[in-house]
Amino acid sequence: MDKIQEILQQLSLEEKIALTTGANNWQTVSFEKYGVPSVVMSDGPHGLRKEQVDENNPNVFNSVKATAFPTASLAACSFDRKLVGQMGKALGEECITQGVDLLLGPGVNIKRSPIGGRNFEYFSEDPLISGELGAAYINGVQSNGIGTSLKHFFANSQEFRRVTGSSDVDERTLREIYLTNFEIAVKKGKPWTVMAAYNKINGCFATENAKYNENVLRDKWGFKGAIISDWGATHDRIKALIGGTDLTMPKEQATAEVVQKIKHSPELQKVLDRNCERLLALALKVKEQRDKRKKESFKRSLKPLEVAQKVAEESLVLLKNKDQILPISKKQKITFIGDFAKNPRYQGFGSSHVNSIHVISALEAVSKITEVSFSQGYREDGQDALQLRSKAAEKAKKSDLAVVFVGLPETYESEGYDRSHMKLPENHVKLIDAVSKANPNTIVVLQNGSPVEMPWADKVKGIVEMYLGGDAGGQAIVNALFGIVNPSGRLAESFPYKLEDHSSYLFFGGEGDHVEYREGVFVGYRYFETKKMPVRYPFGYGLSYTTFDYTDLVVDQKDDKASAKVTVTITNSGDRTGKEVVQLYVSPHKGNIIRPVKELKGFTKVTLQPKESKQVSFELDHRSFAYWNVEEKDWSVETGDYDIIIGKNAHENILVQTIHIVGDTVKNQKLTELSTIGDLLKNPNGVKYWEKISDRFFEAVTESGFANQKTDTKQVTADELEEQKNNDMYKLLLSLPITTLSQMIPEYSLEKLKQDIAEVNHGSWRLY
Ligand code: BGC
C-alpha cells in the first residue's frame, strides 16, 4: 500500500474533513502523528506577501519585507520565456528564505477589457502569451522545489461583482480564449495547484464546476495537483468537494450538517477520499522538498533586485521616438517632471501588494549618472495645481529636453474594482500639454497597470510605456532613456484610441450577476484586426534603438496536413545590439467558420549584435490552425488556404506565405432534410449523390418554369464550390434546403429523399 493510502486509512472522517480546509489564513492542517506537514502559502504573484501571522490583524500591508518584481502586465512585454522563468526562480528562492512552500501565482487570466481592475496582475489579452509565460513562471518557481497556484481558474476577467457574478460564455470562446491560456500553463508548467476563481461560469461557481475542474483540467489536460478555492470562493462545502475543489481557503469550519451528510453517504465519502488523496500528495511533496533542502543547505543563486531590474529593462516598451529623441545624451540639459519620477507607481493594489525593501525612483537612479532638474508638476491627490504646472513648464522651457512622468495613481486600478474609463488623471494630461507646449522635446514615461488613452500622443516626441516596474523600475527607465539598455519590450495587449473602440465595451461588467461575453472570440487584436479598426498601438508593438530586417521566410509542409515548420532570418541592420521579438501569426482565408483574421501562434526573442543575422524557427501543429468545433466537441481544422505571417506586430505584416491545408474528417455532423444543398456538397458522399441527381433536378426546374434556361450547375463539386461561392446563382442554390429536391422533382418522394440522406450520413465528413 502506498504512503497516501496508508495515511488515508488512519484518518478519521472528521480529520479528513478538516484536511479540506485551512488551519488558518495561510496554512493547511497538519497531522504530525501521520507525518503530514502543514503547507505554508503566500501571495504572489510578483513578489512575496507573507503576512506576519497575527490572527487578529490580518492586514495586506503587514507582510515581511520583500522585493517587488515587475507586475505581469510589464513582464509579459518581454515576450521572453527564459527571463520570466528566471523571475520565477528568484521568487521561488524568496519563498525558501521565508519558509513558504506554495506561492499563489501566476495569474494568467485573459484581459478581456482594458479596464479590468486586476489587469496589472495578468499577462495578456492573448492566450498563447499568457499560457507560455505562465508556464515559464511556474517552471522557474517550481525548479526550487516550491509549488505554485495557477490562478484564477477561470473566465475571471472583471472585478465588478467578482464573488457573485457569472461569466456567461459560449463553449467555443471558452475553449479558444479563456481556457487555452490555462491549458498551456498546465501542460507545460505542471503547477502543483490550481486556484478556482470566485466567479461562476455559465451559472456554476468555479469551485463547484466539475465539468471543467474534473473533466477538462484533470482528465483532458492531465493536471495531477490539488485545486484550491480562492479565498472565500467556496459557498457550499459539499458542492465544492464534488466539483473538484480539494481545499477550501481560508479556514472554514465545516458545519455539523455537512459532517452528518458526509457521514451518511458512502458516495460523498468516496469523493472526500479522492480530494484528501490529492491534498496528502501535496503535503508529502512539500515534506520531501523541505527534507531535501535541509540536506543540501540552501543558498540563493540569484539576487532578486537584479532580476527585477533585468525584467523591467527587457520589458518596458518604447512607443514613440520621433526624430530619434531617444536615447538621451548626458550632455543635454535635462529636466524630470512629475511626482512619479520621485514617488513611482510601481506595483498594483490588493492581495499582491508587496512590502518593498527599497524602491528605486527614476530621480534617484538618474542622480547616479548625470544631473537633472526636477519639478513635481502635479499634486498627488489629483487636485489641479496651476502653480506646479507653470513651474514645470518654465523648467522645460529652460532645458534641452523634458521627461514627464505620468500614469495611473494607485486608486485608479486595483483588485476588487474595475476602472470606469481609460483616461489619465486630468492634472497629468494638463501637465503634458503645458510642458510639450513649452518645449517640443518632450518625452512621456507612463507608469500604469493597464492601457490609457493618449490624446496627447502627437504633441510629444517620445513615449515609454513602463507599466508597473517593481522596486528597480526607476533604474530600468533611466537605463532605457540614456541608452544603457536598448528597449526590447512589445505590447502584450492592444492600446485602443478610446475605450469605446474595444469589442468588450458594450457588454463589460454585465447586468446584475450576469456578464455575457458577447464579443466571443474577438478579444483584443482578434477584434481590431478583423474589424480593420485602427488602434493607438497594436498588440505586439514596440520600438528599438536599432532596426531589424526580415528575410527568407520558408514554410516547410511535409504534406497537405495541418502542420508546418517555419523558418525566417532576422538581421540587425542598425549599429547597436538589440533584441527583436519575432511574431508568427496564422490567418485562415475565409471559410465556413467565423474566425479572427489572424491569431498569434508563435513568438520568440532573439539578441542580435550589429549586422548579425540569426535564423529562427517555429513548429506549427494541428492546434495552430484549429478552431473549437462545438458539434465534434474537439479541435477541428477546415480545408482551405492559410497565410503564415511574420508580423512586426499584430497589425503590420512583414513576410507572408500562403499554404493549403486539407482539413479534418469529422464524425458527428449529420445531414437532415433541412440541411442545405451547400451542406450536402461539403460531404464527399453528398457530392457523389449530388452528381447523380442534379441533372434530373435542373430538368425539373426548367420544366416547372422556375428557370427560363437550363443552368449547368451539376458540376458543382466541393472543389469548385470555393470559386463559385460568390456567384449569386450559386449562392441561391447552395442555401436551398435539400427538401427542395423532392419538391421540384415530381417522382422523388420525401420518403426517398430521407432514405438517401441516411445513406449519405453513413460516410464521414471533411471540413470545407
Ligand atoms: C485573491 C487571490 C489571492 C487570495 C489570497 C484573493 O482575494 O483573489 O488572488 O491569492 O486572495 O490573498
Side-chain angles (χ1 to χ4, degrees), residues 12-29:
S12 68
L13 184 77
E14 285 71 16
E15 284 175 328
K16 287 179 190 170
I17 295 174
L19 184 63
T20 63
T21 187
N24 53 36
N25 278 346
W26 303 107
Q27 280 169 280
T28 60
V29 175

Side-chain angles (χ1 to χ4, degrees), residues 2 5 37 40 46 94-95 181 186 230 236 257 267 278 296 304-305 350 375 405 426 433 528 549 584 596 603 666 735:
D2 75 3
Q5 290 308 322
V40 179
H46 49 261
E94 294 265 272
C95 289
N181 46 345
V186 164
D230 198 344
D236 179 318
E257 197 193 334
E267 259 138 62
R278 296 166 182 164
E296 290 167 2
L305 194 64
S375 45
F405 292 77
E426 221 178 293
D433 284 346
F528 295 122
D549 286 346
L584 188 156
F603 66 91
V666 293
S735 63

Side-chain angles (χ1 to χ4, degrees), residues 700-718:
V701 171
T702 314
E703 278 162 19
S704 66
F706 274 108
N708 50 14
Q709 61 183 69
K710 184 171 178 252
T711 324
D712 183 19
T713 321
K714 69 175 177 179
Q715 294 306 331
V716 181
T717 60

Side-chain angles (χ1 to χ4, degrees), residues 344-475:
R345 171 90 199 290
Y346 68 99
Q347 67 166 327
F349 193 72
S351 62
S352 65
H353 198 276
V354 174
N355 190 0
S356 285
I357 295 170
H358 173 67
V359 186
I360 304 164
S361 70
L363 210 52
E364 181 188 336
V366 79
S367 70
K368 287 180 247 161
I369 58 170
T370 190
E371 218 175 280
V372 304
S373 64
F374 171 72
S375 45
Q376 197 188 333
Y378 50 81
R379 278 176 57 150
E380 266 175 277
D381 62 9
Q383 280 193 46
D384 198 21
L386 181 62
Q387 228 189 352
L388 289 180
R389 206 156 50 237
S390 308
K391 247 194 195 160
E394 209 41 51
K395 282 235 175 87
K397 205 178 235 161
K398 290 188 192 135
S399 307
D400 295 328
L401 182 138
V403 187
V404 186
F405 292 77
V406 292
L408 294 176
E410 197 161 67
T411 52
Y412 269 57
E413 47 185 354
S414 166
E415 174 178 342
Y417 56 87
D418 301 310
R419 284 189 293 167
S420 53
H421 60 77
M422 241 178 72
K423 296 181 198 314
L424 284 177
E426 221 178 293
N427 58 351
H428 290 209
V429 176
K430 282 185 180 166
L431 179 68
I432 298 171
D433 284 346
V435 172
S436 58
K437 220 176 252 164
N439 188 339
N441 290 333
T442 294
I443 296 157
V444 170
V445 174
L446 287 165
Q447 294 175 38
N448 44 313
S450 37
V452 292
E453 290 171 12
M454 302 184 206
W456 40 263
D458 293 339
K459 297 180 188 163
V460 300
K461 286 196 176 171
I463 306 175
V464 178
E465 177 52 81
M466 187 56 207
Y467 281 104
L468 305 177
D471 284 353
Q475 186 67 55

Side-chain angles (χ1 to χ4, degrees), residues 26 43 49 118 151-152 162 195 198 230 351 415:
W26 303 107
D43 283 310
R49 185 178 69 86
R118 227 173 160 175
K151 62 192 190 182
H152 307 89
R162 69 169 176 157
M195 189 187 289
Y198 283 124
D230 198 344
S351 62
E415 174 178 342

Side-chain angles (χ1 to χ4, degrees), residues 74-86:
L74 176 61
C77 298
S78 71
F79 277 68
D80 189 336
R81 296 169 181 88
K82 220 168 141 192
L83 188 66
V84 172
Q86 210 178 28

